[in-house]
Amino acid sequence: MKVYIEPIGKLINEFSKLPGVGAKTAQRFAYKVVNMTDEEARAFSEAILNVKRNVKYCKICGNFSEEDVCDICKNRSTETICVVKEPKDVIAIEKLNEFDGVYHVLHGTISPLDGIGPNDINIKGLLSRISGNGVREVIMATNPDVEGEATAMYITNLIKPLGIKVTRIAHGIPVGTDLEYADEVSLARAFVDRKTL
Amino acid sequence: MKVYIEPIGKLINEFSKLPGVGAKTAQRFAYKVVNMTDEEARAFSEAILNVKRNVKYCKICGNFSEEDVCDICKNRSTETICVVKEPKDVIAIEKLNEFDGVYHVLHGTISPLDGIGPNDINIKGLLSRISGNGVREVIMATNPDVEGEATAMYITNLIKPLGIKVTRIAHGIPVGTDLEYADEVSLARAFVDRKTL
């Protein structure tokens, strides 16, 4: 006989589609939902539909937005554009409260092995934003992995000839890490990118 | 400014209510939902509502059921009743495919510190099932913690005078564990409950 009754089995199946959620965790989540009040379950269910209904991509920067143009693009100076891979990178940077320019979300990085070329990510949008809009600096904030570096290099080669300053976020050993425990690649980068005091 | 746009913030908030889900994980889940197709999101949302709508408790054993009486109570011999704390314990035992009797779900254990007494859990239902229904054995399968043991003892004292065999699942060192690494309480129990070969 089947172990779970159907509605619970189905919900467990849905929860297991979430990243990093295995069978046991999905089961715990499903039991939690069973024990929710009707009100709570409705709010949960509604929040999921709501995200699909009300979240679109800003048509300027590609970040998540409730309207055609996101709040960041509406309200900030476009002198500095920070280029990131995904919307969640925008959140990570916004949480710092350090950067007050605008973003450009590529929605991916160039990765020939996965069949993702320059035309598959939002590079064209970036180029059209740059041409004649008073942009002074483009900060490449893609991840420090092979694809992120390659994408940063590719875009740099396109933009630099336009006379716009292109920068890359610094890599090195994380703050608070003992040299002894730093990974070798980061430590090597920290030496290459050392600065004069 | 707020870091998340409202629909995403709300969904992250909903996901953080799930057991063991913190802010970062909730964010990953929410992004996963944003990237789902409309179809997938609807199925997910529907599964949550469905569980609330269609899952009730079996009025005989207290386990989850789609109908008034669950499949287990409908189809199996009631000679042996296995008493457990929660519906998920039923699942754990059913997965073994070893036990072919029926269950009784207490929905809690006696825990004076939390203000849960014998009348707050489903003991009455168990007693009324036992009286005059040809029950031969009651297996106490509550957890091997203080509350589980106390509840097992309490119920045993009620049932034994009725002339019904009451058993307790065995405790000891888990199969596959080295003695060296077994916890002391389990190892002590393994000695006390040793059996003649």
Side-chain angles (χ1 to χ4, degrees):
Chain A
M1 70 158 280
K2 58 189 186 346
V3 174
Y4 299 105
I5 60 173
E6 205 214 326
I8 295 184
K10 262 192 184 164
L11 184 56
I12 290 178
N13 182 33
E14 290 297 334
F15 275 128
S16 352
K17 292 177 188 166
L18 296 174
V21 175
K24 282 258 169 180
T25 309
Q27 182 188 309
R28 281 175 72 208
F29 289 175
Y31 286 140
K32 170 77 187 179
V33 173
V34 171
N35 290 323
M36 281 180 176
T37 65
D38 283 0
E39 199 53 46
E40 288 168 335
R42 213 175 1 248
F44 189 3
S45 158
E46 195 57 34
I48 291 172
L49 286 182
N50 226 6
V51 155
K52 287 308 296 178
R53 270 197 294 256
N54 298 336
V55 174
K56 27 192 171 183
Y57 295 109
C58 168
K59 64 181 185 183
I60 297 177
C61 72
N63 190 15
F64 293 138
S65 173
E66 286 181 273
E67 292 161 66
D68 282 347
V69 175
C70 73
D71 281 353
I72 295 178
C73 284
K74 262 184 208 161
N75 299 317
R76 299 207 194 152
S77 152
T78 57
E79 271 188 8
T80 312
I81 299 182
C82 175
V83 177
V84 295
K85 181 186 179 192
E86 285 173 290
K88 66 178 167 215
D89 301 326
V90 174
I91 304 282
I93 299 171
E94 279 298 292
K95 279 184 177 162
L96 304 177
N97 258 322
E98 291 274 353
F99 177 69
D100 61 355
V102 292
Y103 294 91
H104 188 84
V105 182
L106 295 172
H107 288 284
T109 38
I110 298 171
S111 172
L113 282 177
D114 302 313
I116 303 173
N119 295 324
D120 299 314
I121 61 177
N122 190 17
I123 293 180
K124 266 188 197 149
L126 178 63
L127 295 179
S128 69
R129 282 178 80 178
I130 287 172
S131 53
N133 272 314
V135 176
R136 293 213 179 159
E137 180 179 351
V138 173
I139 304 174
M140 299 304 311
T142 49
N143 291 326
D145 51 18
V146 177
E147 292 82 12
E149 294 291 353
T151 309
M153 283 312 297
Y154 182 89
I155 295 177
T156 305
N157 290 335
L158 289 176
I159 296 178
K160 242 186 162 172
L162 308 176
I164 293 166
K165 183 175 165 191
V166 185
T167 53
R168 179 90 175 103
I169 51 169
H171 299 318
I173 55 170
V175 178
T177 308
D178 271 15
L179 283 198
E180 187 182 351
Y181 301 117
D183 68 291
E184 290 168 23
V185 181
S186 301
L187 191 53
R189 280 296 283 267
F191 270 88
V192 172
D193 294 348
R194 69 190 181 277
K195 35 179 216 170
T196 317
L197 298 177
Chain B
M1 70 157 282
K2 57 186 180 358
V3 174
Y4 299 105
I5 61 173
E6 205 214 328
I8 295 184
K10 262 193 184 162
L11 184 58
I12 290 178
N13 182 34
E14 290 296 334
F15 275 128
S16 349
K17 292 177 187 165
L18 295 175
V21 175
K24 281 258 168 177
T25 309
Q27 183 187 306
R28 280 175 72 207
F29 289 174
Y31 286 140
K32 170 76 189 180
V33 173
V34 171
N35 291 324
M36 281 180 176
T37 65
D38 283 0
E39 199 54 46
E40 288 168 334
R42 212 173 3 244
F44 189 4
S45 158
E46 196 58 37
I48 291 172
L49 286 182
N50 227 7
V51 155
K52 286 308 295 178
R53 269 197 295 254
N54 299 335
V55 175
K56 27 190 169 184
Y57 295 108
C58 169
K59 64 181 184 182
I60 297 178
C61 71
N63 190 15
F64 293 138
S65 173
E66 286 181 272
E67 292 161 66
D68 281 348
V69 174
C70 73
D71 281 353
I72 295 178
C73 284
K74 262 185 211 159
N75 300 318
R76 297 206 195 154
S77 152
T78 58
E79 271 187 8
T80 312
I81 299 182
C82 176
V83 177
V84 296
K85 181 185 179 193
E86 286 174 291
K88 66 179 168 215
D89 301 326
V90 175
I91 305 282
I93 299 171
E94 279 299 293
K95 280 184 176 162
L96 304 176
N97 258 323
E98 290 276 354
F99 177 68
D100 61 357
V102 292
Y103 295 91
H104 187 83
V105 182
L106 296 171
H107 288 285
T109 37
I110 298 171
S111 172
L113 283 178
D114 303 313
I116 302 174
N119 295 324
D120 299 315
I121 61 177
N122 190 17
I123 293 181
K124 266 187 198 150
L126 178 62
L127 295 178
S128 70
R129 284 177 79 179
I130 287 172
S131 53
N133 273 312
V135 176
R136 293 211 181 161
E137 180 178 352
V138 174
I139 304 174
M140 299 304 312
T142 49
N143 291 325
D145 51 19
V146 178
E147 292 81 12
E149 293 292 355
T151 308
M153 283 312 297
Y154 182 89
I155 295 176
T156 305
N157 290 335
L158 289 176
I159 296 177
K160 244 188 163 171
L162 307 175
I164 293 165
K165 184 176 166 192
V166 186
T167 54
R168 179 91 176 101
I169 50 168
H171 300 316
I173 55 169
V175 178
T177 308
D178 271 15
L179 284 198
E180 187 183 351
Y181 301 117
D183 68 290
E184 289 167 24
V185 181
S186 301
L187 191 53
R189 279 296 282 266
F191 270 89
V192 172
D193 294 347
R194 68 191 180 277
K195 37 179 213 173
T196 317
L197 297 177

